[in-house]
Amino acid sequence: MKKTVWERVLFNISRFVAFFLVICLVTTVTILLFLKGITLDESAVRRNAPITFLCILLMTLIGCGLDAFRRNRTVDRPLKHILDTLEQLSKGDFSVRLDSGHGDFSKTGFDAISREINILAGELSGVETLRNDFIASVSHELKTPLAAIQNYAALLRVPGLPEEDREEYTQAILQTTRRLADMVSNILKLNKLENQQIFPEVRTFDLGEQLCACMLEYESLWEEKGLELECEIADGVQVRADPELLRLVWSNLFSNAVKFTPPGGRISLKLTTDGGWTVVSVSDTGCGMSKETGAHIFEKFYQGDTAHAAQGNGLGLALVKRVVDITGGVISVSSTPGKGATFTVRLRKE
């Protein structure tokens, strides 16, 4: 940093000295010619006038030339590079970069601008990559259930199809369309959250009551699988947040716990306080996940467990993460493959 500052100081001093010397030279020549003209008669003055004019014009042109050279090097060329780069960015070429260490930038005030443009180009490149990945993932996730619906619908048209098979295929179509509808709904919710089109309606409410109500919505599912439910909920825990957004968090966590826990397994729900935090933990004895999967589990469309990929679309936990971030909380996961997982949500106390 010190070297850059000194370079700028020396450059400005040298530029000032150059212009000062040019001005002194022009002034000196003009004065000398004027003084000489005083001692000459009128005819001599007239003879020397063109020479005087040419000298003044020459010195002026030299000064203007030096100024034009300086301006071209310190202003025009950097601006042209910047404008060319911005034009390429506007056309969608996010790989272009400015060489902020180049002579056109390093000794002028444009080096900071060039660095910021490079940062902007990097951010745009990252966003473009995410957008392309998102579109590719959505296309794939939409194609899979649509292909399944198409296949089952074709089977239903087979003449003389037994009633049992007809019922099985119809149920498969209903389940697939329900999954497709849930995915589209989650995409829309996630898009609104990421674009800040959903404004939280914050109020104070009893978190324990909300957790119990959400868990009871899955009562038929856990009873059908014969799951054991353990609850440890502290009384009177109040939080200040948007209850509808938090309901999305608990619904997704409970749904995943029931979905990935084998029959006869156990699901645990715990609500405690820790200093200035309210802590909610949802545990299961399901298939669990590796550390690598846990590091990406909150990314959109990420499905580390390919054996259970048909049961989800990889958007639920991304939606959970976004809601928790908006609420000002923290979510984490700890898991051991084959022994289940624990999702922990920490919210600031009221």
Side-chain angles (χ1 to χ4, degrees):
M1 179 60 71
K2 289 183 179 180
K3 182 178 179 181
T4 303
V5 172
W6 277 111
E7 285 180 351
R8 292 179 179 177
V9 171
L10 291 175
F11 176 75
N12 290 329
I13 291 176
S14 61
R15 184 176 63 181
F16 173 78
V17 170
F19 276 98
F20 180 76
L21 291 176
V22 170
I23 293 173
C24 289
L25 181 60
V26 172
T27 304
T28 302
V29 171
T30 304
I31 293 174
L32 290 175
L33 290 173
F34 176 77
L35 293 176
K36 182 179 181 183
I38 294 176
T39 62
L40 299 176
D41 56 20
E42 183 178 353
S43 59
V45 171
R46 289 179 178 178
R47 288 195 304 272
N48 291 327
I51 299 176
T52 304
F53 175 77
L54 290 176
C55 289
I56 295 174
L57 180 61
L58 180 61
M59 293 298 102
T60 303
L61 291 175
I62 292 174
C64 292
L66 290 174
D67 182 65
F69 175 78
R70 176 197 63 82
R71 180 179 176 81
N72 179 64
R73 180 174 177 80
T74 61
V75 177
D76 294 340
R77 283 201 297 183
L79 277 178
K80 185 178 184 304
H81 290 321
I82 290 174
L83 292 175
D84 290 343
T85 301
L86 290 175
E87 182 180 0
Q88 290 180 270
L89 289 176
S90 67
K91 292 180 179 179
D93 182 7
F94 303 125
S95 63
V96 64
R97 296 292 185 274
L98 285 166
D99 185 5
S100 58
H102 192 270
D104 289 347
F105 295 102
S106 62
K107 294 183 179 181
T108 70
F110 293 102
D111 53 345
I113 296 176
S114 65
R115 286 195 299 268
E116 293 300 322
I117 290 177
N118 287 340
I119 293 174
L120 173 63
E123 293 293 333
L124 290 174
S125 177
V127 170
E128 180 69 8
T129 300
L130 289 175
R131 187 180 71 87
N132 291 335
D133 291 345
F134 181 79
I135 292 174
S137 298
V138 169
S139 301
H140 173 74
E141 293 294 333
L142 288 175
K143 186 188 300 183
T144 302
L146 287 174
I149 292 172
Q150 183 179 16
N151 292 335
Y152 283 119
L155 291 173
L156 287 174
R157 299 182 62 184
V158 175
L161 185 69
E163 189 61 30
E164 292 182 0
D165 291 344
R166 185 180 303 279
E167 179 64 25
E168 179 185 350
Y169 299 156
T170 303
Q171 188 64 30
I173 291 176
L174 289 174
Q175 291 177 352
T176 305
T177 53
R178 190 177 300 114
R179 176 191 167 205
L180 188 60
D182 290 341
M183 182 180 67
V184 173
S185 177
N186 282 337
I187 289 175
L188 294 175
K189 290 176 183 176
L190 193 57
N191 181 66
K192 289 182 178 180
L193 286 171
E194 290 183 338
N195 290 283
Q196 297 182 347
Q197 295 177 356
I198 293 180
F199 301 96
E201 297 181 5
V202 178
R203 64 181 179 87
T204 301
F205 62 95
D206 190 301
L207 183 58
E209 293 182 0
Q210 185 186 58
L211 288 169
C212 291
C214 288
M215 178 60 83
L216 288 174
E217 293 177 3
Y218 296 89
E219 183 177 8
S220 60
L221 294 177
W222 85 61
E223 287 183 347
E224 181 181 345
K225 296 181 71 172
L227 303 180
E228 178 186 353
L229 182 64
E230 293 182 352
C231 290
E232 182 182 335
I233 298 178
D235 294 329
V237 178
Q238 303 285 315
V239 294
R240 183 167 177 78
D242 187 321
E244 293 305 317
L245 287 181
L246 281 185
R247 184 179 293 275
L248 290 174
V249 174
W250 316 135
S251 294
N252 275 282
L253 294 182
F254 295 155
S255 175
N256 285 343
V258 174
K259 186 186 302 180
F260 295 112
T261 302
R266 183 177 68 257
I267 296 176
S268 301
L269 170 63
K270 183 182 294 186
L271 170 61
T272 59
T273 58
D274 180 17
W277 296 90
T278 296
V279 184
V280 179
S281 298
V282 179
S283 305
D284 63 65
T285 57
C287 57
M289 67 189 81
S290 64
K291 289 184 177 180
E292 180 182 0
T293 300
H296 300 280
I297 198 66
F298 297 109
E299 297 176 5
K300 286 178 288 190
F301 295 107
Y302 183 82
Q303 293 179 335
D305 183 11
T306 56
H308 296 80
Q311 301 184 40
N313 49 57
L315 283 174
L317 289 177
L319 185 62
V320 166
K321 179 67 165 61
R322 185 58 181 152
V323 170
V324 173
D325 289 344
I326 290 175
T327 308
V330 180
I331 185 170
S332 60
V333 59
S334 60
S335 179
T336 301
K339 295 184 178 181
T342 298
F343 287 87
T344 302
V345 178
R346 299 171 67 87
L347 303 172
R348 294 192 181 277
K349 293 177 66 176
E350 182 187 4

